[in-house]
Amino acid sequence: MSIREPSGQTNRVDLGKAWSHTKRAFGIIRELYPGYLALSVTNSLTQAVQPLSVLYLSARILNELAGSRDVRLIGIYVTIAVVSGFLFSVIRAFIGRRLAVIQSTFRQRMYFFHSEKHMAMDFVHADKSSTNELLADIEAKINGNDLGIPTVYWRFPNLSRQLFGAIGSGVLLAGLFRVPTSYSRNFATSPAASGLLGFLVVCSMSFTFWLRHKEQLMMKEVFEKNPKRNTVIHYYYQYVQAGAAAKDIRIYAQQPAIRTIMEKWLVDPSWPRFFHYEGMVSASTAAANAVIGGSVYLFIGLRALAGMYGIGSVLQYVGAVTGLVEHVTGLINESAALVANTMYLDAAYTYLDLPDYKYKGSLTTEKRSDNDYEIEFRNVSFKYPGTDTYALRDFSLKFNVGRRLAVVGMNGSGKTTMVKLLCRLYDPTEGEITLNDIDIRKYDHKEYMDLFSVVFQDFKLFSLSLGQNLAASTEVDRARAEMCLDKAGFLDRLRDLPLGLETCLYKDFDPAGVTVSGGEAQKIALARALYKDAPFIVLDEPTAALDPIAEYEVYSRFNEIIGDKTAVFISHRLSSCRFCDDIIVLHEGRLVQRGSHEELLADEGGKYAELWNAQAQYYVTEGV
């Protein structure tokens, strides 16, 4: 049987890569839970040694009962067995509780581990769909089958137990091939019989390894499909429960379509095929182990009849050989699983090793009380990664400190791209952006980011308290938060909230949470930007979700809201730009006009006048 990957290439096992990847996974697990590996090793050691110690002491007691029957020695063996059994049980109970606590939070720790990487990586990666698809694939495999780092985490305890068990069983077999001075010589007692038994054991182990390796390759194909199926089913499961979707499902009779899609993904012939093969592997392995077990019983029994072993030693050797076969088989199974897991670790490390290209800089921004900052775009051009089209081309602009700048243009003209470059989410492809005549790339990245408060068009609010949403922290300055909410026009709504700033937004975690409207959410986002108290405020369509009255209130108080800060205002509604000191017009990535509202309207052939007239016709009644 040739098991192939979806690409059609036969799977190849790179043991060196498997070892290095697994070793790195151990390091990550140690980072997440510093004491886990030591606890797991100790627990596995006690699990492996306890039954072997019972086997050894039982053999000693039986040999003594069949021999000299020394009561004192028998008492010592019994005492050791009882005391050691008690100590092993106590140790395992103590460690087991600690491990249970760790295991209960492991998956959550993995999610947070991935999230920390996503929050810290360059925005150029976070903004790529390929990065998010890679992370979704990694987490789907974790959710579906615990593949990748979780496989190492969950299999390590059994792997170490099998290793300790195999070593311990080997130690108990040390006397199996010792030749006594007096015994009956026959084939069973000859070196040839010992060699034949060893050959059978090696053949059985090799056969088991081959079968398990094939099983892991088939499992690999199944697991490749399983995360996608889980993702689709989970999506539709969440969709049918979403409150917003309930109306569409009923109005458009979507039930049959959803049922057809889910049934299609629920029926997968690869799983029955895999389980059929797994059953054959288990049956074949059990048959091989039975042959080995029978051979061991026969070998040891015939040697015991020849006078080579006492009755206790027979018990010890039979148990040890059986244990050795069991543990080596388990060791092979766990090792094969870890080797097959290499490709999933490869995906995890591809994500974790995404490089940081952005130069972070070291100069301080010298936060000024007078907000005396000047930012200038100097011949800036920019292409998004993976594209050959310029989103911004030969763009030059100087910001006047303390003034209000409106940025207008059609969709795709480069407005949001300009903001991303301004905030150093991306760096220019060509040209430079300066802060007080110094390239912004030379400034400390965190300090530079602290200069900006931005309300993006696709902003997000957390399912946390209102105050924590504003402060982005568990520590909230209540007076400052209320002042910012007042400026943003949310104070009346705040007074109606049952817990004020402690009111949880949305009901994800708190049944008493409040679901805010789109306009209310936009006011909260504006208040969050004000709470940060940065010298530059960037507003991307800040009133898109507000009703006309609320929009008018924001604009009429805009100078009061912004104060002496520099404001960059992006909007499709040109009527909302009239309160700005300066307006720039972007078209196809280029700066095509700049001036006041009146100056730009006076240029009747300009782009601004074209956009203004196109919008104004909807507000003017025909004939007026």
Side-chain angles (χ1 to χ4, degrees):
M1 179 185 294
S2 177
I3 308 297
R4 296 182 178 274
E5 296 185 50
S7 62
Q9 297 180 346
T10 304
N11 288 276
R12 300 293 181 187
V13 177
D14 186 341
L15 295 180
K17 184 177 182 180
W19 165 245
S20 64
H21 274 34
T22 303
K23 183 180 177 183
R24 180 178 175 184
F26 284 138
I28 292 173
I29 293 169
R30 188 184 303 112
E31 178 184 339
L32 294 175
Y33 293 104
Y36 170 75
L37 294 180
L39 285 172
S40 186
V41 167
T42 305
N43 193 54
S44 298
L45 181 62
T46 57
Q47 288 180 328
V49 170
Q50 184 174 10
L52 294 176
S53 66
V54 172
L55 179 64
Y56 175 79
L57 292 170
S58 298
R60 301 284 72 75
I61 292 171
L62 283 175
N63 279 340
E64 196 61 36
L65 289 172
S68 58
R69 298 187 177 183
D70 186 333
V71 176
R72 184 185 64 83
L73 194 56
I74 292 174
I76 291 174
Y77 289 144
V78 171
T79 302
I80 294 174
V82 172
V83 172
S84 62
F86 173 76
L87 292 176
F88 280 132
S89 298
V90 170
I91 293 171
R92 287 176 60 183
F94 174 76
I95 295 177
R97 284 195 298 271
R98 296 284 300 277
L99 288 175
V101 172
I102 293 174
Q103 290 167 356
S104 67
T105 60
F106 175 73
R107 184 169 289 185
Q108 289 79 7
R109 284 287 185 100
M110 281 302 305
Y111 289 148
F112 188 67
F113 180 67
H114 290 148
S115 299
E116 280 191 311
K117 171 65 180 178
H118 209 280
M119 290 187 291
M121 68 173 58
D122 282 351
F123 183 78
V124 64
H125 293 308
D127 200 33
K128 280 183 180 178
S129 60
S130 58
T131 302
N132 293 295
E133 288 170 3
L134 176 61
L135 179 58
D137 183 58
I138 292 169
E139 294 191 340
K141 287 179 169 62
I142 292 175
N143 290 331
N145 304 98
D146 277 325
L147 300 174
I149 295 173
T151 288
V152 179
Y153 175 86
W154 292 113
R155 290 191 176 272
F156 174 69
N158 196 42
L159 177 74
S160 54
R161 184 178 70 83
Q162 302 293 0
L163 178 61
F164 290 136
I167 294 172
S169 298
V171 170
L172 291 184
L173 288 173
L176 178 64
F177 303 103
R178 188 181 300 126
V179 180
T181 56
S182 176
Y183 64 95
S184 300
R185 287 173 172 76
N186 53 45
F187 177 75
T189 62
S190 67
S194 301
L196 179 60
L197 181 63
F199 176 75
L200 286 174
V201 171
V202 171
C203 288
S204 175
M205 295 299 100
S206 300
F207 179 64
T208 299
F209 178 80
W210 180 79
L211 287 176
R212 292 300 180 186
H213 176 62
K214 290 293 184 183
E215 179 188 35
Q216 292 297 328
L217 295 181
M218 181 174 282
M219 186 184 296
K220 178 179 175 181
E221 279 198 348
V222 174
F223 283 177
E224 278 300 295
K225 301 175 184 177
N226 200 46
K228 177 67 173 178
R229 183 174 61 255
N230 289 340
T231 300
V232 172
I233 292 173
H234 179 73
Y235 170 80
Y236 282 102
Y237 179 72
Q238 294 292 325
Y239 176 78
V240 298
Q241 295 185 77
K247 298 186 289 292
D248 292 327
I249 290 173
R250 286 155 179 80
I251 294 295
Y252 296 103
Q254 295 175 342
Q255 302 96 321
I258 293 173
R259 186 183 302 110
T260 301
I261 293 170
M262 293 188 74
E263 286 176 351
K264 171 189 172 183
W265 283 95
L266 284 170
V267 177
D268 184 359
S270 58
W271 275 109
R273 188 165 59 247
F274 168 72
F275 286 127
H276 174 71
Y277 182 80
E278 186 183 42
M280 290 173 43
V281 169
S282 299
S284 301
T285 303
N289 289 345
V291 170
I292 294 298
S295 301
V296 168
Y297 277 107
L298 180 63
F299 176 76
I300 294 175
L302 291 174
R303 285 196 158 202
L305 290 175
M308 294 187 72
Y309 313 129
I311 185 65
S313 298
V314 171
L315 174 67
Q316 175 180 321
Y317 296 148
V318 168
V321 171
T322 303
L324 181 64
V325 172
E326 176 189 332
H327 291 306
V328 171
T329 301
L331 202 57
I332 290 172
N333 293 341
E334 297 301 328
S335 300
L338 291 177
V339 170
N341 187 55
T342 302
M343 67 171 294
Y344 306 112
L345 289 175
D346 212 23
Y349 298 154
T350 298
Y351 173 76
L352 295 174
D353 293 339
L354 288 172
D356 287 339
Y357 299 113
K358 191 184 297 295
Y359 179 67
K360 302 299 183 183
S362 58
L363 295 179
T364 180
T365 58
E366 300 181 51
K367 191 162 186 179
R368 306 170 64 102
S369 59
D370 58 2
N371 286 337
D372 188 12
Y373 298 99
E374 182 180 80
I375 286 186
E376 183 177 2
F377 285 74
R378 296 177 178 175
N379 301 315
V380 170
S381 296
F382 177 73
K383 293 186 290 187
Y384 282 98
T387 66
D388 296 324
T389 304
Y390 281 95
L392 213 60
R393 191 67 183 264
D394 297 327
F395 181 75
S396 296
L397 175 73
K398 182 180 291 188
F399 281 53
N400 295 319
V401 177
R403 294 173 67 84
R404 287 82 171 97
L405 173 70
V407 183
V408 301
M410 300 174 66
N411 289 335
S413 60
K415 303 185 298 296
T416 301
T417 298
M418 188 200 86
V419 172
K420 291 178 180 178
L421 293 171
L422 173 65
C423 299
R424 271 214 79 191
L425 296 177
Y426 284 102
D427 285 333
T429 306
E430 301 165 16
E432 66 176 0
I433 305 171
T434 63
L435 170 65
N436 294 343
D437 290 323
I438 298 176
D439 191 322
I440 62 174
R441 286 172 286 200
K442 295 181 180 180
Y443 287 105
D444 178 270
H445 186 256
K446 184 181 182 304
E447 287 193 20
Y448 180 79
M449 297 287 279
D450 287 341
L451 296 177
F452 297 92
S453 287
V454 185
V455 179
F456 289 104
Q457 193 170 357
D458 56 349
F459 66 87
K460 299 294 182 185
L461 298 178
F462 294 103
S463 293
L464 299 172
S465 74
L466 174 59
Q468 290 173 346
N469 268 278
L470 264 60
S473 169
T474 55
E475 301 294 327
V476 181
D477 184 332
R478 299 184 65 86
R480 181 173 163 189
E482 290 177 0
M483 178 188 67
C484 294
L485 288 169
D486 183 23
K487 286 184 177 181
F490 195 80
L491 189 60
D492 289 340
R493 182 72 172 95
L494 174 65
R495 290 168 179 158
D496 292 336
L497 296 178
L499 299 177
L501 291 173
E502 300 302 320
T503 303
C504 186
L505 298 186
Y506 311 113
K507 299 180 182 291
D508 299 83
F509 310 120
D510 186 352
V514 174
T515 300
V516 294
S517 66
E520 290 172 337
Q522 204 154 34
K523 290 179 181 179
I524 294 171
L526 177 57
R528 179 171 62 183
L530 298 174
Y531 187 95
K532 186 179 178 181
D533 195 27
F536 287 89
I537 291 186
V538 182
L539 306 175
D540 190 353
E541 298 286 357
T543 61
L546 299 182
D547 59 68
I549 295 176
E551 182 182 31
Y552 172 76
E553 290 175 351
V554 170
Y555 291 149
S556 62
R557 299 176 57 206
F558 198 75
N559 286 331
E560 176 189 346
I561 292 172
I562 300 302
D564 61 348
K565 304 178 189 303
T566 301
V568 179
F569 178 79
I570 298 174
S571 179
H572 287 92
R573 300 180 188 175
L574 271 62
S575 59
S576 64
C577 300
R578 301 180 64 174
F579 64 89
C580 290
D581 308 308
D582 199 6
I583 301 172
I584 65 170
V585 183
L586 296 179
H587 184 63
E588 296 181 348
R590 294 180 182 273
L591 175 60
V592 295
Q593 282 183 291
R594 182 174 186 177
S596 67
H597 173 71
E598 290 74 16
E599 291 170 343
L600 294 174
L601 273 186
D603 182 3
E604 296 181 357
K607 193 69 181 177
Y608 186 85
E610 176 189 337
L611 294 172
W612 174 267
N613 291 327
Q615 292 183 15
Q617 64 178 316
Y618 296 108
Y619 299 99
V620 179
T621 304
E622 186 176 356
V624 176

